[in-house]
Amino acid sequence: MIDITDLQSKEFAPIDLENKLKNIYLACGIPKKYLFTNLETDWSINFSPKGDLTGLSKKRSEITQILISDYLKAIPSIVNGNGLKVKFKNSIKFITDLILDGSKSSGKTFLLSVIAQSAVNQGYSVKFVEWSDYVDKFLSFESRSANEDFFLDCIDVDFLIFDSVMQYDISNNKFFVLQLDRLISTRLNNGKVTILSIDSKNSGNPIFGNIWNKFTRETFALKLPEPELKNEIKSKRP
């Protein structure tokens, strides 16, 4: 006689979906701090860790929430090359690649993480990379072979996300520049999505030469809110 109870406990045990999803997120490189965060509940249009949002800062926060929310819903269309259709005052743009521009605590990493998790949830491949880690891997010629698989993954994934792209002077490193040009050009030509965050106010634009010009021509830059207050207040924004 078959013991159905025993069979169910061994072969049909409940799957810990949240833990499996957590491992997938971490394998993609998404920061642990931002796992399972949500745009609707964790983004505030009224305040940030730096203080109350008023005037232009509040407006930017509202625009950010609306645009990113629409971006998440449009991910299948974005991956297919159609993009997110956005109507501006005098023009219509189809957004695929993004640059999030903001200072420390403006929400860059949080937003990148939300996008990355939404893309994973919808079945797309994601690679979330700290820019300083990427530079460490490829700044020297000797490291090329050791990190070739990593580089190929960066080329092939549906969403490549670079967090905190800083102003390193790489113009004299011929190998790094050529490889970065190969990465960006290949992804643009293949319709792959590339998203990055910068702090142009405090760090300036990255020194990529013609590569940066090529990328920014195809990319929508979103300016994040920058409150100018001395006293920090408690905030629920991660």
Side-chain angles (χ1 to χ4, degrees):
M1 183 176 69
I2 300 175
D3 187 341
I4 298 297
T5 303
D6 184 59
L7 185 63
Q8 288 178 325
S9 65
K10 290 181 179 180
E11 297 186 18
F12 300 98
I15 299 174
D16 187 351
L17 293 178
E18 182 172 314
N19 191 55
K20 287 184 178 296
L21 195 55
K22 173 184 175 182
N23 291 333
I24 294 173
Y25 289 159
L26 293 174
C28 292
I30 301 170
K32 187 175 182 179
K33 176 181 178 181
Y34 297 102
L35 298 187
F36 301 106
T37 48
N38 183 280
L39 181 68
E40 299 302 321
T41 58
D42 297 315
W43 180 266
S44 172
I45 61 173
N46 297 309
F47 55 85
S48 81
K50 288 188 175 182
D52 290 323
L53 297 173
T54 59
L56 179 59
S57 293
K58 188 174 189 298
K59 186 65 176 177
R60 283 179 177 169
S61 190
E62 293 171 350
I63 291 172
T64 296
Q65 186 180 56
I66 293 171
L67 190 141
I68 298 299
S69 178
D70 288 345
Y71 190 91
L72 300 180
K73 296 172 186 175
I75 281 178
S77 177
I78 290 167
V79 173
N80 289 333
N82 297 319
L84 167 65
K85 184 178 180 180
V86 179
K87 184 177 181 180
F88 294 88
K89 184 176 181 180
N90 299 314
S91 64
I92 293 176
K93 293 185 178 180
F94 290 87
I95 297 173
T96 54
D97 297 347
L98 286 174
I99 297 174
L100 304 184
D101 186 1
S103 62
K104 183 178 180 181
S105 297
S106 61
K108 298 188 298 296
T109 305
F110 164 73
L111 293 173
L112 294 178
S113 299
V114 167
I115 294 171
Q117 289 172 93
S118 183
V120 170
N121 294 348
Q122 296 179 61
Y124 299 105
S125 57
V126 174
K127 201 167 188 66
F128 190 112
V129 183
E130 283 283 342
W131 178 245
S132 58
D133 291 341
Y134 183 86
V135 173
D136 287 343
K137 288 179 183 296
F138 297 108
L139 201 56
S140 67
F141 180 82
E142 293 76 14
S143 63
R144 177 175 60 177
S145 296
N147 293 296
E148 181 66 13
D149 289 343
F150 179 91
F151 180 72
L152 293 176
D153 283 344
C154 288
I155 285 182
D156 291 337
V157 290
D158 297 314
F159 285 81
L160 175 62
I161 298 176
F162 279 134
D163 192 17
S164 300
V165 177
M166 304 294 288
Q167 190 181 30
Y168 295 108
D169 187 357
I170 58 173
S171 57
N172 294 323
N173 189 315
K174 184 178 180 180
F175 166 72
F176 189 93
V177 171
L178 288 174
Q179 188 181 53
L180 186 61
D181 185 41
R182 176 189 168 196
L183 174 65
I184 298 299
S185 297
T186 303
R187 291 189 62 80
L188 286 173
N189 292 336
N190 293 339
K192 300 289 188 177
V193 184
T194 305
I195 304 174
L196 55 85
S197 67
I198 64 172
D199 181 359
S200 62
K201 181 179 179 180
N202 298 306
S203 300
N205 287 325
I207 304 175
F208 290 172
N210 291 332
I211 305 169
W212 180 249
N213 295 333
K214 182 189 302 182
F215 179 67
T216 53
R217 280 198 303 268
E218 308 289 336
T219 305
F220 180 76
L222 178 62
K223 188 72 176 178
L224 301 184
E226 303 284 349
E228 297 291 341
L229 295 181
K230 295 181 180 179
N231 299 323
E232 293 187 358
I233 63 172
K234 185 177 180 180
S235 167
K236 66 178 180 180
R237 180 179 298 178

